Amino acid sequence: MSCLSRALAYKLAQHMNVDVDLVRRENIRMLYEEFDDLKADEQLQQVENKLAMAGLMLPIARERLRLFFKAFVSTPRHQQLLAGIPADVSEWLSKDKVKYIRGK
């Protein structure tokens, strides 16, 4: 989403009495999913409901950890390091994407 699109989305949200912070959080989530961390970090400072944002960030952090671990499974040294991860955490990371926790 370009800067112009974001600005339009925020103005439309205001005009339609939709929580602008909710729109901002969803936009930041999309930016992080697209690995556009720089833009997401810039907007993160403007989020009012930090707890709701944390709920959106947890699945993204999990997915990035999963991708990281998946990339390093090929070598014996990395397999040894991964073996130290608790079984429940390993299972959590190996599952497909989890559903997002949406804030109010």
Side-chain angles (χ1 to χ4, degrees):
M1 185 183 286
S2 69
C3 277
L4 185 58
S5 299
R6 275 193 304 275
L8 180 60
Y10 299 148
K11 285 185 190 240
L12 281 171
Q14 281 179 322
H15 180 72
M16 298 173 71
N17 292 323
V18 174
D19 183 8
V20 175
D21 199 52
L22 173 67
V23 175
R24 182 174 288 113
R25 290 191 310 263
E26 286 297 322
N27 180 56
I28 292 169
R29 179 190 59 80
M30 289 188 315
L31 289 169
Y32 277 122
E33 280 186 339
E34 296 168 356
F35 292 90
D36 197 348
D37 292 10
L38 190 58
K39 286 182 186 172
D41 289 346
E42 290 170 2
Q43 291 188 39
L44 195 55
Q45 306 306 317
Q46 299 172 8
V47 170
E48 293 174 15
N49 189 339
K50 306 291 187 195
L51 187 58
M53 190 70 232
L56 293 173
M57 295 298 295
L58 190 59
I60 293 168
R62 178 205 159 272
E63 181 64 13
R64 288 190 179 188
L65 274 173
R66 188 181 73 79
L67 291 171
F68 177 78
F69 288 137
K70 190 175 180 180
F72 291 105
V73 171
S74 59
T75 66
R77 173 69 178 134
H78 288 109
Q79 287 178 347
Q80 182 182 12
L81 291 172
L82 293 175
I85 297 174
D88 58 338
V89 174
S90 181
E91 181 183 338
W92 181 68
L93 289 171
S94 66
K95 289 182 181 176
D96 290 334
K97 281 189 173 184
V98 295
K99 295 191 188 288
Y100 289 103
I101 304 165
R102 302 241 183 236
K104 293 182 180 178

XYZ file of all heavy atoms in Angstrom:
849
model
N 0.850 -1.163 0.000
C 0.000 0.000 0.000
C 0.901 1.233 0.000
O 1.780 1.361 0.830
C -0.889 -0.031 1.250
C -1.905 1.070 1.294
S -2.928 1.097 2.810
C -4.003 -0.273 2.558
N 0.686 2.119 -0.934
C 1.511 3.319 -1.027
C 1.115 4.324 0.047
O 0.078 4.193 0.701
C 1.329 3.954 -2.409
O 0.023 4.493 -2.521
N 1.934 5.349 0.218
C 1.626 6.403 1.193
C 0.286 7.052 0.880
O -0.505 7.333 1.782
C 2.722 7.464 1.178
S 4.140 7.055 2.163
N 0.032 7.280 -0.401
C -1.225 7.891 -0.816
C -2.406 6.983 -0.469
O -3.423 7.439 0.043
C -1.192 8.184 -2.322
C -2.386 8.931 -2.892
C -2.568 10.270 -2.198
C -2.194 9.143 -4.386
N -2.248 5.690 -0.719
C -3.306 4.727 -0.393
C -3.559 4.668 1.107
O -4.704 4.582 1.551
C -2.938 3.335 -0.890
O -2.783 3.320 -2.281
N -2.483 4.694 1.893
C -2.629 4.673 3.351
C -3.367 5.915 3.829
O -4.287 5.826 4.638
C -1.265 4.583 4.029
C -0.748 3.176 4.166
C 0.435 3.109 5.103
N 1.536 3.973 4.731
C 2.486 3.640 3.849
N 2.451 2.476 3.253
N 3.459 4.467 3.572
N -2.957 7.057 3.318
C -3.604 8.310 3.721
C -5.083 8.278 3.363
O -5.936 8.693 4.159
C -2.910 9.499 3.058
N -5.400 7.773 2.186
C -6.790 7.663 1.762
C -7.558 6.693 2.658
O -8.688 6.969 3.060
C -6.869 7.220 0.302
C -8.267 7.060 -0.289
C -9.032 8.375 -0.226
C -8.177 6.567 -1.725
N -6.936 5.581 2.996
C -7.583 4.594 3.868
C -7.889 5.211 5.230
O -8.978 4.999 5.784
C -6.690 3.365 4.035
N -6.958 5.988 5.781
C -7.171 6.614 7.081
C -8.278 7.669 7.010
O -9.112 7.766 7.904
C -5.883 7.229 7.617
C -4.765 6.228 7.826
C -3.445 6.586 7.669
C -5.028 4.897 8.171
C -2.419 5.679 7.852
C -4.010 3.980 8.361
C -2.704 4.378 8.196
O -1.695 3.475 8.377
N -8.299 8.446 5.932
C -9.346 9.470 5.774
C -10.722 8.815 5.599
O -11.709 9.265 6.164
C -9.036 10.383 4.593
C -7.941 11.377 4.895
C -7.728 12.339 3.763
C -6.481 13.142 4.014
N -6.692 14.545 4.099
N -10.768 7.745 4.812
C -12.032 7.030 4.643
C -12.508 6.432 5.962
O -13.697 6.460 6.269
C -11.886 5.924 3.590
C -11.943 6.365 2.138
C -11.570 5.202 1.222
C -13.319 6.901 1.792
N -11.573 5.890 6.726
C -11.931 5.320 8.028
C -12.537 6.395 8.925
O -13.569 6.168 9.560
C -10.704 4.702 8.685
N -11.916 7.564 8.960
C -12.457 8.671 9.759
C -13.845 9.053 9.271
O -14.770 9.228 10.063
C -11.538 9.884 9.685
C -10.327 9.800 10.561
C -9.451 11.031 10.420
O -9.296 11.570 9.334
N -8.868 11.460 11.531
N -13.968 9.195 7.962
C -15.234 9.622 7.368
C -16.353 8.614 7.649
O -17.507 8.993 7.851
C -15.062 9.823 5.861
C -16.301 10.262 5.154
N -16.812 11.530 5.299
C -17.138 9.598 4.327
C -17.918 11.634 4.576
N -18.131 10.474 3.963
N -16.012 7.335 7.680
C -17.010 6.281 7.866
C -17.133 5.856 9.333
O -17.750 4.850 9.652
C -16.661 5.081 6.992
C -16.674 5.413 5.511
S -16.069 4.075 4.468
C -17.408 2.920 4.633
N -16.496 6.626 10.213
C -16.515 6.339 11.654
C -15.958 4.955 11.997
O -16.486 4.257 12.861
C -17.922 6.495 12.240
C -18.379 7.935 12.221
O -17.579 8.834 12.440
N -19.640 8.151 11.925
N -14.921 4.573 11.285
C -14.209 3.330 11.569
C -12.959 3.702 12.359
O -12.332 4.731 12.105
C -13.816 2.606 10.252
C -12.946 1.400 10.525
C -15.064 2.219 9.474
N -12.606 2.878 13.316
C -11.433 3.132 14.146
C -10.172 3.211 13.277
O -9.742 2.213 12.695
C -11.299 2.015 15.188
C -10.141 2.222 16.147
O -9.505 3.292 16.129
O -9.885 1.292 16.939
N -9.598 4.403 13.194
C -8.403 4.618 12.365
C -7.239 3.781 12.890
O -6.431 3.279 12.112
C -8.032 6.120 12.312
C -6.734 6.348 11.562
C -9.163 6.919 11.676
N -7.173 3.614 14.205
C -6.095 2.807 14.781
C -6.194 1.361 14.317
O -5.172 0.718 14.051
C -6.140 2.888 16.307
C -4.835 2.472 16.951
O -3.779 3.022 16.561
O -4.867 1.615 17.849
N -7.411 0.850 14.172
C -7.610 -0.507 13.650
C -7.086 -0.610 12.218
O -6.373 -1.555 11.876
C -9.093 -0.874 13.700
C -9.483 -2.195 13.034
C -8.896 -3.365 13.786
C -10.990 -2.306 12.952
N -7.398 0.370 11.396
C -6.915 0.390 10.006
C -5.399 0.473 9.990
O -4.732 -0.230 9.229
C -7.552 1.561 9.223
C -6.963 1.674 7.833
C -9.067 1.420 9.165
N -4.839 1.303 10.856
C -3.375 1.448 10.937
C -2.725 0.120 11.338
O -1.728 -0.309 10.751
C -3.021 2.543 11.933
C -1.513 2.786 12.036
C -1.176 3.967 12.923
N -1.538 5.195 12.234
C -2.505 6.027 12.613
N -3.222 5.764 13.687
N -2.754 7.122 11.940
N -3.309 -0.554 12.345
C -2.745 -1.841 12.793
C -2.779 -2.880 11.678
O -1.807 -3.617 11.481
C -3.510 -2.348 14.020
C -3.267 -1.538 15.269
C -3.819 -2.201 16.519
N -5.188 -2.639 16.436
C -6.242 -1.956 16.870
N -6.093 -0.763 17.400
N -7.464 -2.473 16.774
N -3.873 -2.945 10.946
C -3.980 -3.910 9.847
C -2.971 -3.581 8.745
O -2.371 -4.480 8.143
C -5.399 -3.928 9.285
C -6.386 -4.615 10.190
C -6.070 -6.083 10.405
O -5.640 -6.773 9.461
O -6.261 -6.565 11.539
N -2.781 -2.299 8.484
C -1.798 -1.896 7.473
C -0.386 -2.294 7.907
O 0.394 -2.824 7.115
C -1.881 -0.383 7.235
C -0.884 0.065 6.205
O -0.855 -0.430 5.090
N -0.047 1.002 6.586
N -0.073 -2.074 9.171
C 1.248 -2.444 9.692
C 1.435 -3.954 9.617
O 2.504 -4.442 9.230
C 1.424 -1.924 11.128
C 1.493 -0.392 11.114
C 2.656 -2.517 11.789
C 1.396 0.250 12.475
N 0.398 -4.705 9.961
C 0.468 -6.173 9.865
C 0.789 -6.598 8.447
O 1.651 -7.447 8.215
C -0.853 -6.803 10.321
C -0.847 -8.330 10.222
C -2.210 -8.932 10.434
N -3.214 -8.469 9.496
C -3.361 -8.920 8.244
N -2.552 -9.836 7.779
N -4.314 -8.451 7.463
N 0.122 -5.978 7.468
C 0.381 -6.324 6.062
C 1.810 -5.977 5.668
O 2.469 -6.747 4.961
C -0.608 -5.600 5.142
C -2.010 -6.140 5.241
S -3.200 -5.487 4.024
C -2.884 -3.751 4.031
N 2.303 -4.835 6.135
C 3.681 -4.448 5.817
C 4.681 -5.450 6.390
O 5.634 -5.844 5.716
C 3.976 -3.041 6.336
C 3.287 -1.905 5.587
C 3.441 -0.592 6.353
C 3.828 -1.765 4.166
N 4.468 -5.865 7.636
C 5.366 -6.859 8.230
C 5.273 -8.195 7.500
O 6.282 -8.867 7.300
C 5.078 -7.058 9.720
C 5.736 -6.033 10.607
C 4.982 -5.238 11.458
C 7.117 -5.858 10.623
C 5.578 -4.302 12.290
C 7.728 -4.925 11.437
C 6.947 -4.150 12.270
O 7.549 -3.230 13.085
N 4.082 -8.588 7.103
C 3.932 -9.840 6.347
C 4.684 -9.788 5.024
O 5.162 -10.806 4.531
C 2.459 -10.136 6.087
C 1.746 -10.747 7.259
C 0.330 -11.165 6.914
O -0.242 -10.659 5.934
O -0.200 -12.012 7.650
N 4.770 -8.596 4.440
C 5.487 -8.417 3.174
C 6.973 -8.108 3.397
O 7.679 -7.763 2.462
C 4.822 -7.285 2.386
C 3.396 -7.615 1.976
C 2.639 -6.407 1.454
O 3.181 -5.280 1.465
O 1.474 -6.597 1.047
N 7.425 -8.210 4.650
C 8.816 -7.948 5.034
C 9.237 -6.507 4.734
O 10.412 -6.238 4.488
C 9.776 -8.944 4.362
C 9.600 -10.347 4.870
C 8.701 -11.207 4.260
C 10.316 -10.795 5.962
C 8.524 -12.497 4.730
C 10.144 -12.083 6.444
C 9.240 -12.937 5.828
N 8.294 -5.596 4.778
C 8.585 -4.174 4.606
C 8.680 -3.546 6.001
O 7.900 -2.673 6.377
C 7.497 -3.503 3.755
C 7.939 -2.172 3.197
O 8.987 -1.656 3.651
O 7.244 -1.651 2.311
N 9.655 -4.020 6.760
C 9.789 -3.654 8.165
C 10.055 -2.165 8.373
O 9.602 -1.590 9.359
C 10.906 -4.460 8.819
C 10.555 -5.928 8.938
O 9.537 -6.355 8.358
O 11.298 -6.652 9.616
N 10.793 -1.546 7.475
C 11.122 -0.130 7.631
C 9.857 0.722 7.659
O 9.658 1.534 8.564
C 12.058 0.328 6.515
C 12.672 1.714 6.661
C 13.458 1.825 7.958
C 13.569 2.013 5.481
N 8.972 0.506 6.696
C 7.715 1.259 6.662
C 6.838 0.906 7.854
O 6.192 1.773 8.441
C 6.952 0.989 5.367
C 7.536 1.666 4.165
C 6.701 1.384 2.931
C 7.372 1.937 1.693
N 6.689 1.508 0.467
N 6.801 -0.364 8.210
C 5.988 -0.798 9.346
C 6.486 -0.165 10.646
O 5.689 0.326 11.445
C 6.005 -2.317 9.451
N 7.808 -0.158 10.834
C 8.388 0.433 12.044
C 8.057 1.919 12.159
O 7.807 2.415 13.251
C 9.902 0.243 12.068
C 10.313 -1.200 12.315
O 9.459 -2.011 12.732
O 11.491 -1.518 12.072
N 8.067 2.616 11.030
C 7.748 4.050 11.037
C 6.321 4.282 11.534
O 6.067 5.193 12.310
C 7.898 4.641 9.642
C 9.323 4.743 9.160
C 9.425 5.114 7.687
O 8.375 5.324 7.042
O 10.559 5.205 7.187
N 5.393 3.449 11.095
C 3.991 3.614 11.466
C 3.679 3.067 12.852
O 2.717 3.489 13.491
C 3.091 2.923 10.443
C 3.096 3.601 9.111
C 2.055 2.987 8.211
O 0.964 2.654 8.654
N 2.400 2.829 6.955
N 4.480 2.145 13.311
C 4.233 1.490 14.598
C 4.180 2.501 15.743
O 3.422 2.321 16.698
C 5.323 0.449 14.853
C 5.087 -0.573 15.937
C 3.785 -1.329 15.711
C 6.249 -1.533 16.004
N 4.940 3.572 15.637
C 4.966 4.594 16.683
C 3.616 5.287 16.839
O 3.318 5.835 17.894
C 6.055 5.633 16.381
C 7.431 5.050 16.169
C 7.890 4.175 17.314
O 7.698 4.524 18.470
N 8.471 3.025 17.014
N 2.792 5.269 15.797
C 1.511 5.973 15.810
C 0.361 5.116 16.343
O -0.744 5.618 16.547
C 1.171 6.452 14.402
C 2.185 7.419 13.843
C 1.925 7.718 12.379
O 0.907 7.327 11.826
N 2.849 8.408 11.746
N 0.608 3.839 16.587
C -0.448 2.942 17.070
C -0.793 3.294 18.512
O 0.094 3.434 19.352
C -0.008 1.464 16.966
C -0.992 0.548 17.674
C 0.132 1.064 15.521
N -2.082 3.440 18.770
C -2.535 3.763 20.126
C -2.735 2.504 20.960
O -2.330 2.452 22.108
C -3.834 4.559 20.060
C -3.648 5.933 19.441
C -4.955 6.669 19.234
O -5.988 6.249 19.811
O -4.944 7.659 18.486
N -3.357 1.473 20.392
C -3.646 0.243 21.128
C -2.502 -0.748 20.919
O -2.535 -1.589 20.028
C -4.979 -0.347 20.660
C -5.439 -1.490 21.526
O -4.652 -2.117 22.225
N -6.728 -1.774 21.472
N -1.492 -0.627 21.756
C -0.290 -1.463 21.639
C -0.594 -2.940 21.906
O -0.004 -3.818 21.289
C 0.800 -0.993 22.611
C 1.170 0.459 22.500
C 1.886 0.775 21.227
C 2.368 2.226 21.280
N 2.770 2.743 20.025
N -1.534 -3.212 22.804
C -1.874 -4.591 23.121
C -2.499 -5.297 21.916
O -2.145 -6.441 21.596
C -2.829 -4.636 24.319
C -3.143 -6.012 24.885
C -1.875 -6.725 25.321
C -4.097 -5.877 26.059
N -3.392 -4.618 21.224
C -3.997 -5.198 20.013
C -2.933 -5.410 18.940
O -2.967 -6.405 18.216
C -5.112 -4.289 19.493
N -1.974 -4.492 18.859
C -0.899 -4.640 17.872
C -0.038 -5.848 18.212
O 0.377 -6.591 17.319
C -0.056 -3.354 17.843
C 0.941 -3.289 16.706
S 0.128 -3.073 15.115
C 0.844 -4.405 14.186
N 0.194 -6.067 19.495
C 0.987 -7.233 19.906
C 0.305 -8.527 19.480
O 0.965 -9.472 19.060
C 1.199 -7.218 21.415
N -1.020 -8.553 19.571
C -1.761 -9.735 19.140
C -1.602 -10.017 17.659
O -1.622 -11.170 17.226
N -1.415 -8.972 16.869
C -1.190 -9.150 15.432
C 0.256 -9.533 15.130
O 0.537 -10.190 14.132
C -1.533 -7.855 14.676
C -2.993 -7.434 14.667
C -3.138 -6.060 14.039
C -3.838 -8.446 13.925
N 1.171 -9.108 15.987
C 2.593 -9.350 15.749
C 3.042 -10.765 16.107
O 3.965 -11.289 15.506
C 3.432 -8.342 16.562
C 3.247 -6.904 16.145
S 3.740 -6.599 14.461
C 5.479 -6.911 14.581
N 2.386 -11.378 17.061
C 2.799 -12.713 17.502
C 2.805 -13.744 16.373
O 3.807 -14.447 16.187
C 1.923 -13.169 18.671
C 2.384 -14.417 19.389
C 3.780 -14.237 19.957
C 1.412 -14.759 20.499
N 1.746 -13.846 15.565
C 1.787 -14.811 14.456
C 2.867 -14.476 13.411
O 3.451 -15.377 12.811
C 0.391 -14.716 13.833
C -0.467 -14.143 14.896
C 0.414 -13.240 15.691
N 3.148 -13.194 13.237
C 4.181 -12.803 12.273
C 5.549 -13.217 12.800
O 6.375 -13.758 12.053
C 4.112 -11.296 11.991
C 2.809 -10.971 11.259
C 5.322 -10.827 11.188
C 2.476 -9.497 11.183
N 5.792 -12.979 14.083
C 7.069 -13.392 14.688
C 7.230 -14.905 14.612
O 8.311 -15.410 14.288
C 7.122 -12.921 16.138
N 6.145 -15.631 14.876
C 6.172 -17.085 14.802
C 6.515 -17.563 13.390
O 7.330 -18.449 13.197
C 4.816 -17.643 15.229
C 4.728 -19.128 15.139
C 3.251 -19.536 14.964
N 3.152 -20.834 14.402
C 3.127 -21.104 13.093
N 3.197 -20.159 12.207
N 3.045 -22.330 12.656
N 5.893 -16.945 12.412
C 6.129 -17.339 11.019
C 7.574 -17.062 10.611
O 8.210 -17.867 9.939
C 5.158 -16.598 10.091
C 5.312 -16.950 8.630
C 4.987 -18.400 8.297
O 4.399 -19.125 9.124
O 5.340 -18.828 7.190
N 8.114 -15.950 11.049
C 9.517 -15.638 10.727
C 10.467 -16.612 11.402
O 11.441 -17.046 10.804
C 9.833 -14.201 11.105
C 9.159 -13.224 10.156
C 9.647 -11.848 10.370
N 9.011 -10.924 9.443
C 9.372 -9.680 9.308
N 10.357 -9.202 10.036
N 8.759 -8.891 8.455
N 10.176 -16.979 12.647
C 10.997 -17.988 13.327
C 10.921 -19.323 12.602
O 11.930 -20.004 12.423
C 10.520 -18.175 14.767
C 11.083 -17.251 15.812
C 10.382 -17.459 17.138
C 12.575 -17.450 15.974
N 9.723 -19.681 12.185
C 9.526 -20.947 11.469
C 10.350 -20.960 10.187
O 11.030 -21.940 9.880
C 8.047 -21.147 11.151
C 7.720 -22.514 10.574
C 6.235 -22.632 10.262
N 5.867 -21.863 9.093
C 6.079 -22.258 7.826
N 6.671 -23.401 7.590
N 5.701 -21.518 6.822
N 10.307 -19.870 9.431
C 11.082 -19.789 8.192
C 12.580 -19.848 8.471
O 13.334 -20.482 7.731
C 10.737 -18.503 7.436
C 9.329 -18.435 6.844
C 9.048 -17.032 6.313
C 9.136 -19.471 5.765
N 13.007 -19.182 9.542
C 14.423 -19.183 9.919
C 14.885 -20.596 10.257
O 15.902 -21.068 9.763
C 14.635 -18.241 11.109
C 16.037 -18.223 11.620
C 17.019 -17.510 10.957
C 16.373 -18.923 12.764
C 18.329 -17.494 11.429
C 17.671 -18.908 13.245
C 18.647 -18.189 12.575
N 14.118 -21.292 11.109
C 14.494 -22.644 11.491
C 14.453 -23.598 10.309
O 15.309 -24.468 10.167
C 13.600 -23.166 12.615
C 13.866 -22.508 13.938
C 12.814 -22.115 14.744
C 15.151 -22.264 14.376
C 13.051 -21.506 15.967
C 15.402 -21.657 15.582
C 14.340 -21.275 16.381
N 13.471 -23.427 9.462
C 13.342 -24.289 8.283
C 14.551 -24.139 7.361
O 15.019 -25.111 6.770
C 12.062 -23.936 7.532
C 11.691 -24.880 6.449
C 10.347 -24.480 5.862
C 9.948 -25.424 4.758
N 8.657 -25.068 4.182
N 15.096 -22.945 7.265
C 16.239 -22.688 6.391
C 17.516 -23.347 6.911
O 18.421 -23.632 6.135
C 16.456 -21.185 6.249
N 17.596 -23.617 8.223
C 18.833 -24.132 8.801
C 18.775 -25.590 9.232
O 19.660 -26.070 9.916
C 19.248 -23.263 9.996
C 19.695 -21.900 9.577
C 18.875 -20.805 9.777
C 20.910 -21.713 8.955
C 19.271 -19.548 9.383
C 21.319 -20.462 8.556
C 20.492 -19.374 8.771
N 17.771 -26.304 8.822
C 17.629 -27.699 9.215
C 18.626 -28.604 8.493
O 18.939 -29.686 8.949
C 16.168 -28.173 8.971
C 16.019 -29.663 9.147
C 15.249 -27.443 9.920
N 19.186 -28.134 7.419
C 19.991 -28.988 6.546
C 21.343 -29.420 7.115
O 21.870 -30.443 6.711
C 20.206 -28.300 5.201
O 20.846 -27.062 5.407
N 21.934 -28.688 8.029
C 23.260 -29.054 8.527
C 23.158 -29.736 9.890
O 22.288 -29.418 10.693
C 24.175 -27.816 8.669
O 23.640 -26.982 9.700
C 24.270 -27.046 7.371
N 24.064 -30.676 10.170
C 24.034 -31.381 11.464
C 24.176 -30.428 12.653
O 23.525 -30.616 13.683
C 25.226 -32.337 11.384
C 25.473 -32.518 9.935
C 25.062 -31.233 9.275
N 25.012 -29.412 12.515
C 25.214 -28.462 13.624
C 23.904 -27.742 13.957
O 23.531 -27.603 15.116
C 26.305 -27.451 13.263
C 26.474 -26.335 14.261
C 27.043 -26.830 15.579
N 27.234 -25.713 16.480
C 26.865 -25.714 17.747
N 26.325 -26.774 18.275
N 27.058 -24.671 18.498
N 23.215 -27.307 12.936
C 21.965 -26.599 13.156
C 20.883 -27.541 13.687
O 20.068 -27.160 14.516
C 21.506 -25.892 11.883
C 22.346 -24.703 11.559
N 23.213 -24.688 10.501
C 22.466 -23.505 12.179
C 23.835 -23.524 10.473
N 23.404 -22.788 11.471
N 20.902 -28.780 13.235
C 19.944 -29.754 13.747
C 20.169 -29.987 15.238
O 19.220 -30.133 16.004
C 20.044 -31.069 12.975
C 19.457 -30.977 11.578
C 19.609 -32.265 10.801
O 20.351 -33.153 11.190
N 18.908 -32.355 9.688
N 21.435 -29.974 15.629
C 21.770 -30.146 17.045
C 21.232 -28.961 17.859
O 20.670 -29.142 18.936
C 23.282 -30.262 17.214
C 23.729 -30.490 18.634
C 25.247 -30.541 18.732
O 25.960 -30.184 17.795
N 25.731 -30.975 19.874
N 21.390 -27.755 17.330
C 20.878 -26.571 18.017
C 19.349 -26.596 18.092
O 18.762 -26.280 19.128
C 21.330 -25.293 17.305
C 22.816 -24.979 17.389
C 23.157 -23.802 16.477
C 23.225 -24.675 18.822
N 18.717 -26.987 17.003
C 17.263 -27.045 16.971
C 16.715 -28.120 17.912
O 15.592 -28.008 18.398
C 16.772 -27.288 15.549
C 17.017 -26.149 14.555
C 16.597 -26.571 13.158
C 16.298 -24.896 14.980
N 17.505 -29.158 18.167
C 17.069 -30.225 19.066
C 16.889 -29.715 20.493
O 16.156 -30.309 21.284
C 18.076 -31.377 19.042
N 17.531 -28.596 20.806
C 17.406 -28.009 22.141
C 16.120 -27.230 22.352
O 15.822 -26.797 23.463
N 15.345 -27.057 21.302
C 14.086 -26.325 21.419
C 13.042 -27.245 22.054
O 12.913 -28.397 21.643
C 13.602 -25.855 20.027
C 14.611 -24.870 19.430
C 12.223 -25.212 20.116
C 14.292 -24.482 18.008
N 12.308 -26.760 23.053
C 11.273 -27.605 23.670
C 10.292 -28.136 22.630
O 9.989 -27.470 21.633
C 10.567 -26.659 24.644
C 11.588 -25.586 24.927
C 12.392 -25.450 23.669
N 9.778 -29.329 22.870
C 8.905 -30.012 21.909
C 7.660 -29.197 21.569
O 7.266 -29.127 20.407
C 8.506 -31.380 22.442
N 7.052 -28.552 22.571
C 5.838 -27.786 22.286
C 6.124 -26.563 21.415
O 5.341 -26.219 20.542
C 5.109 -27.394 23.574
C 5.965 -26.576 24.524
O 7.210 -26.645 24.429
O 5.391 -25.864 25.372
N 7.272 -25.949 21.622
C 7.659 -24.803 20.796
C 7.960 -25.272 19.376
O 7.541 -24.647 18.401
C 8.872 -24.058 21.399
C 9.354 -22.955 20.467
C 8.529 -23.498 22.767
N 8.669 -26.367 19.264
C 8.977 -26.927 17.948
C 7.699 -27.278 17.188
O 7.581 -27.002 15.992
C 9.855 -28.166 18.110
O 10.179 -28.698 16.863
N 6.733 -27.865 17.888
C 5.459 -28.215 17.251
C 4.716 -26.953 16.813
O 4.166 -26.896 15.722
C 4.591 -29.017 18.225
C 3.267 -29.440 17.638
C 2.397 -30.174 18.643
O 2.937 -30.718 19.621
O 1.175 -30.186 18.428
N 4.722 -25.942 17.664
C 4.057 -24.671 17.359
C 4.663 -24.024 16.113
O 3.962 -23.511 15.260
C 4.169 -23.753 18.575
C 3.523 -22.415 18.439
C 2.195 -22.149 18.342
C 4.176 -21.153 18.415
N 1.986 -20.794 18.258
C 3.179 -20.156 18.307
C 5.510 -20.750 18.490
C 3.471 -18.796 18.261
C 5.802 -19.390 18.451
C 4.789 -18.442 18.333
N 5.994 -24.094 16.004
C 6.677 -23.493 14.861
C 6.483 -24.296 13.581
O 6.531 -23.747 12.490
C 8.176 -23.351 15.148
C 8.553 -22.284 16.161
C 10.027 -22.395 16.505
C 8.214 -20.900 15.661
N 6.267 -25.588 13.705
C 6.163 -26.426 12.515
C 4.773 -26.409 11.884
O 4.606 -26.829 10.749
C 6.561 -27.863 12.837
O 5.641 -28.429 13.736
N 3.775 -25.923 12.613
C 2.418 -25.875 12.066
C 2.320 -24.825 10.967
O 3.126 -23.896 10.905
C 1.410 -25.532 13.162
C 1.194 -26.639 14.152
C 0.153 -26.228 15.160
C -0.072 -27.322 16.178
N -1.001 -26.901 17.218
N 1.298 -24.987 10.138
C 1.016 -23.955 9.146
C 0.647 -22.672 9.869
O 0.485 -22.653 11.081
C -0.126 -24.392 8.225
C 0.298 -25.521 7.292
O 1.510 -25.624 6.995
O -0.571 -26.305 6.887
N 0.453 -21.613 9.087
C 0.134 -20.315 9.683
C -1.007 -20.426 10.680
O -1.979 -21.124 10.451
C -0.265 -19.307 8.603
C 0.893 -18.718 7.866
C 0.412 -17.589 6.996
C 1.583 -16.867 6.384
N 1.161 -15.717 5.608
N -0.859 -19.701 11.768
C -1.923 -19.653 12.770
C -2.824 -18.463 12.488
O -2.436 -17.522 11.818
C -1.337 -19.542 14.200
C -0.569 -20.789 14.556
C -0.477 -18.317 14.361
N -4.017 -18.503 13.012
C -4.954 -17.399 12.818
C -4.512 -16.204 13.650
O -3.897 -16.352 14.692
C -6.359 -17.819 13.211
C -6.915 -18.907 12.325
C -8.382 -19.084 12.590
C -8.945 -20.276 11.873
N -9.095 -20.215 10.500
N -4.840 -15.047 13.174
C -4.481 -13.814 13.873
C -5.398 -13.578 15.055
O -6.559 -13.921 15.043
C -4.559 -12.606 12.927
C -3.459 -12.629 11.910
C -3.709 -13.019 10.607
C -2.176 -12.280 12.269
C -2.690 -13.061 9.678
C -1.153 -12.326 11.364
C -1.416 -12.714 10.062
O -0.416 -12.753 9.157
N -4.823 -12.947 16.066
C -5.583 -12.530 17.223
C -5.969 -11.081 16.961
O -5.122 -10.197 16.948
C -4.733 -12.638 18.503
C -4.195 -14.057 18.668
C -5.524 -12.173 19.716
C -3.094 -14.175 19.672
N -7.207 -10.838 16.705
C -7.663 -9.493 16.361
C -8.040 -8.719 17.613
O -8.699 -9.235 18.488
C -8.879 -9.572 15.446
C -8.579 -10.335 14.181
C -8.761 -9.455 13.019
N -8.528 -10.237 11.809
C -7.637 -9.906 10.910
N -6.942 -8.829 11.053
N -7.465 -10.635 9.843
N -7.594 -7.471 17.672
C -7.947 -6.599 18.782
C -9.205 -5.817 18.484
O -9.668 -5.783 17.342
N -9.754 -5.212 19.501
C -10.967 -4.400 19.319
C -10.609 -3.025 18.830
O -9.588 -2.513 19.030
C -11.730 -4.297 20.630
C -12.297 -5.627 21.049
C -13.076 -5.474 22.325
C -13.631 -6.809 22.739
N -14.348 -6.743 23.974
